[in-house]
Amino acid sequence: MSLFFRTRNDLPRLKPISPRRTQVVSVLDVGSEKMTCLIARLRPRLESEVLPERTHLIEVIGVGHQRSRGIKSGTVVDLEAAAQAIRATVDAAERAAGLTVESLVVSLTAGRLKSYRGKASMQPIAEIGASDVAFVTSQAARIDFDPSRLALHSVPIDLAVDGDGGMDNAIGMMGSTLSADIHVLTAEEAPLRNLETAINRAHLVVEAFVATPYASALSTLVEDEAVMGSAAIDMGGGTTTIAIFQNSRFVYADQVAIGGQHITMDLARGLSIRPADAERLKVVHGSTLAGLSDDGEPITIPTLGEDGADMPVTVSRSVVAKIVRPRVEEILELVRDRLAASGLGHVIGKRVVLTGGASQLAGLPDTARTILQRNVRLGRPVGVSGLSPSNKSPAFAAAVGLLIYPQVVHREAVAQPSLAARMLDQSTRAGRFGTWLKRSI
């Protein structure tokens, strides 16, 4: 087995927020259709109002968003165009907030997200201490995976003492064996570094990358859903991502490379109209259910030609639904297959939350219930103030989740070298110090 492993330290790591301090947080959600920057003030809650993993009240003080440029399916395809779009988005939020942003917590959809499981155990010398828990979780995070990937999140799923799992806090307990089970989410390095380069070209610094499915789930899953086990499905413009939670822990993620833009292009090609007109048609008149497509008055759309000589296209709502539905079914069937392949269908049970901009298509929840064979609800971001009603839509779920992330980042473990490697490193440093000392005398 290869000795190669990556650690969370290869990426910018966000420091946990103090539960007693007010802090300003700036985030950037980089989507295929739009970019969103939110600037928010996080104020400590009163002790009596603290919720599980929610120590602060979030008040948004600046919002900026605009159409994405230089981004395709979450991946940077034009550095200069992406940098200009990022800078313009952040500038708009800065003007609204009346302050300047230097660093950001950034969403990540690109990089073919892939989940791994890690396990480790140790024998505590006496009662279990905080250092024991930190060490065993860091060892569980030392997973062997492809060198072209980086560990994006390392979230402990379970702690067990002498084989008894489900420990919320093992510190102070007695036992002969302490074990940890951890979820490590990885991404390909090249797309991640390209996005970081685009942000740097916009004269900004990345504080941390957060997987889009994780962020969306943080803002849309209610406490009971996260505890009992649920899946959050974020339908974005270029990709559809999946996050599974169990016992309030992020245990799995996956994605399919199809999203709302594919539905738009189906309409554009099928009706020979411009993509911008197809997007408008999808949003205003699109539906996945024939029953919702009351033909009524026909819809008139300009044709693709530039000279305006061609006659406008006139279509019925039922024709639009017939074009939209097959692509939606394809996306949901791929999601269903990915959920089955995860081996966590029993964890999800009957609970699925749909979110993301493309989830707002009329009739989509009903179609999802039929294909996924689960209870489905539309998830909007909760637990934040200062947003306009239009910005509280599912399209802003990931951006709001990025504001929640600083309150839960303390959960994550950091892979550390093995005990033998640490001893070797210490002896090497001691040897170097001895050499320096001899040369100095």
Side-chain angles (χ1 to χ4, degrees), residues 86-392:
I86 290 167
R87 186 67 259 173
T89 304
V90 174
D91 283 346
E94 287 178 332
R95 288 193 297 271
L99 51 81
T100 301
V101 168
E102 295 181 353
S103 58
L104 299 154
V105 179
V106 181
S107 68
L108 182 72
T109 305
R112 295 184 176 88
L113 303 177
K114 186 175 181 180
S115 288
Y116 292 84
R117 284 290 185 95
K119 294 180 180 292
S121 61
M122 64 174 292
Q123 283 74 43
I125 296 175
E127 71 177 42
I128 297 169
S131 60
D132 296 318
V133 173
F135 180 74
V136 75
T137 53
S138 72
Q139 292 305 297
R142 296 179 68 249
I143 293 176
D144 188 31
F145 51 80
D146 192 290
S148 65
R149 303 184 73 84
L150 292 174
L152 193 60
H153 299 289
S154 300
V155 183
I157 297 171
D158 190 29
L159 286 175
V161 177
D162 294 341
D164 294 328
M167 299 290 173
D168 291 331
N169 187 358
I171 296 173
M173 295 185 178
M174 304 294 292
S176 59
T177 303
L178 174 65
S179 304
D181 186 1
I182 200 165
H183 168 218
V184 178
L185 181 62
T186 68
E188 291 178 345
E189 182 172 11
L192 186 151
R193 296 302 185 197
N194 288 335
L195 178 56
E196 185 174 24
T197 299
I199 292 168
N200 293 159
R201 285 194 179 189
H203 308 293
L204 297 160
V205 176
V206 177
E207 283 193 82
F209 283 108
V210 182
T212 295
Y214 188 17
S216 296
L218 286 175
S219 71
T220 57
L221 292 180
V222 298
E223 183 183 349
D224 288 344
E225 289 172 331
V227 170
M228 295 176 65
S230 298
I233 300 169
D234 186 308
M235 300 183 69
T239 59
T240 298
T241 60
I242 304 163
I244 298 177
F245 268 60
Q246 180 186 23
N247 296 327
S248 297
R249 295 292 185 267
F250 177 43
V251 299
Y252 186 82
D254 206 341
Q255 68 184 71
V256 295
I258 309 179
Q261 284 184 345
H262 295 79
I263 302 172
T264 299
M265 293 310 297
D266 288 344
L267 286 168
R269 294 188 182 100
L271 300 174
S272 190
I273 60 178
R274 295 181 303 169
D277 293 325
E279 176 68 20
R280 192 177 305 110
L281 177 65
K282 179 186 74 175
V283 171
V284 178
H285 301 291
S287 172
T288 65
L289 300 178
L292 294 180
S293 304
D294 179 15
D295 282 345
E297 191 172 329
I299 307 161
T300 302
I301 319 153
T303 54
L304 192 59
E306 296 182 359
D307 57 5
D310 295 333
M311 294 293 292
V313 175
T314 301
V315 296
S316 65
R317 287 172 174 79
S318 60
V319 169
V320 175
K322 286 177 181 178
I323 297 174
V324 166
R325 185 178 177 90
R327 182 66 77 174
V328 170
E329 289 178 340
E330 180 189 12
I331 296 171
L332 293 172
E333 286 167 358
L334 287 170
V335 168
R336 179 194 62 198
D337 294 344
R338 296 297 176 89
L339 291 175
S342 73
L344 296 171
H346 64 289
V347 168
I348 304 166
K350 293 290 184 180
R351 292 168 295 276
V352 169
V353 175
L354 283 179
T355 192
S359 70
Q360 301 173 92
L361 196 63
L364 184 56
D366 292 320
T367 304
R369 290 186 193 101
T370 301
I371 294 176
L372 301 179
Q373 291 295 295
R374 288 180 164 90
N375 298 326
V376 176
R377 73 171 180 85
L378 195 60
R380 293 178 173 81
V382 296
V384 61
S385 63
L387 283 177
S388 66
S390 62
N391 291 343
K392 288 184 179 180

Side-chain angles (χ1 to χ4, degrees), residues 5-11 141-142 145 150-151 414-417:
F5 63 93
R6 295 273 187 175
T7 75
R8 184 73 165 90
N9 289 327
D10 290 324
L11 295 173
R142 296 179 68 249
F145 51 80
L150 292 174
V414 180
Q416 296 176 356

